[in-house]
Amino acid sequence: MVTKILQLVNVLAWMTNGVHSCLCRGLHHPQDEFCSAKYVFYGKVTKEKLIPGPPDDVENNLATWEYTFKIIFKMKGVTEGVGQDVVVETRGNGALCGVRFDVGQSRILIGGKKPDGTKTINLCSFRRKIGNLSTYQTFYLFTRGFDSYNFNCRRRCKIGPKSIGCKYHLENTNDKPTICLAQKALCKRERRRCRWVNNETCS
């Protein structure tokens, strides 16, 4: 009886997962992603491992990919030191927002954690190569001074449609001002208020 119930659960899980696809909502501002992330680091993929699901899980809906990264530079939520390994998990199927990495490539990851502390990443997460960042984004990510994501996250600057000084509509994915804000602008606290800086060309 127990075996039949478990088989039914697996079938239902496969059917449920099979009808869904990964949907990423809008163009998130990197600073907003940094502030809400559980971890941020720059690392190089050194190992890939598939943890398979049940034998009948041919689409890898219940599988997990484990990626080992060697830390090159850490920014937030990482206890491992530079040069040490950290493991990041993702879903086994791209339709469920799982993402694949090539061994040898280096990426900046901004991701979450499971309740047990396991680091996770998905298709909608920030996972960029340095060469794909703007000069501004690179500076904001890799520094900790007044003009950094790290510092201004701690100053509790809010980005979004209801923000007074840092309005941002992530749904406008093809809107040039929105793309410009994501690539250039920093929401910075000055005295008692937060406002965009380096946004002069984003109107």
Side-chain angles (χ1 to χ4, degrees), residues 44-101:
K44 182 177 182 179
V45 184
T46 59
K47 188 186 301 181
E48 175 188 66
K49 178 183 178 182
L50 176 65
I51 301 175
D56 59 348
D57 182 29
V58 295
E59 299 293 332
N60 283 340
N61 289 316
L62 302 176
T64 300
W65 284 102
E66 277 190 356
Y67 287 93
T68 301
F69 285 80
K70 186 174 293 293
I71 301 291
I72 298 173
F73 191 91
K74 58 182 188 176
M75 298 120 169
K76 176 182 177 181
V78 178
T79 56
E80 295 83 358
V82 172
Q84 293 185 314
D85 290 339
V86 60
V87 175
V88 178
E89 289 187 358
T90 189
R91 299 292 296 272
N93 190 320
L96 301 175
C97 292
V99 61
R100 300 291 299 277
F101 298 100

Side-chain angles (χ1 to χ4, degrees), residues 172-202:
N172 299 338
T173 55
N174 295 316
D175 182 58
K176 288 185 178 179
T178 300
I179 294 172
C180 182
L181 288 173
Q183 292 179 339
K184 295 184 178 181
L186 174 74
C187 184
K188 181 179 180 180
R189 180 176 292 278
E190 294 180 336
R191 296 182 180 177
R192 294 187 176 182
R193 63 184 292 261
C194 294
R195 69 178 185 88
W196 287 124
V197 296
N198 297 327
N199 65 321
E200 294 83 3
T201 61
C202 296

